[in-house]
Amino acid sequence: MTQSASELHDALAALDRPRIESLFQHAVVRTNPMQAVEELMVPALIQLGNEWNAGKIALSQIYMSSRICEDIVERILPATATVRKDHPRQAIVVLSDYHSLGKRIVLSVMRASGFDVLDYGRMDVDELVERVLADNVKILLISVLMLPSALKVKAVRAALDARGSRVRIAVGGAPFLFDPELWQEVEADAMGRNAADAVTIVQRWQEDWL
């Protein structure tokens, strides 16, 4: 992590909201809101996720720090765009995890880019499969923070295939950054490293339906 991301990590671990806000606002002044999120906030939260997985911090710290970050992201990133683009129905979900910052960032950027994306919040495998089928979703974006959740993507794929769904699945989150081949192992169709990748992937897939 950069020094700034490390400082934000420490503030998040301490749940020091004034310090978190200050560090983030300084980053926004130096760069721009989206860059500040992806270069400062995301690395700090990924590090916290690793520390939780190693038993070094409490789940409550992960939960509260992510909520603080989500509040900040909700304020600074546009929720929607004036013009919508024609596209197959698409949705985004946090699979099993309780950490939704990654989803919030991608959703904000997708909507700001003109895409109308269904927000499924957090779901487990069975509920997600039924909702995708009911909504006739063609593109599914799945966000995870922990490896056990990432491995469940394969179960989602198998269940949808068994029901004859043609949905394409794009995945993102820390486990896929750590293991660049994991997305193929769980039988996803693509992996995005950041919100910009998600837009590019959806734009490419959209052309197949037009």
Side-chain angles (χ1 to χ4, degrees), residues 24 49 64 78 119:
F24 190 74
M64 291 305 299
D119 183 1

Side-chain angles (χ1 to χ4, degrees), residues 4-17:
S4 296
S6 180
E7 290 176 0
L8 182 62
H9 161 272
D10 293 344
L12 287 168
L15 302 178
D16 185 349
R17 184 158 193 150

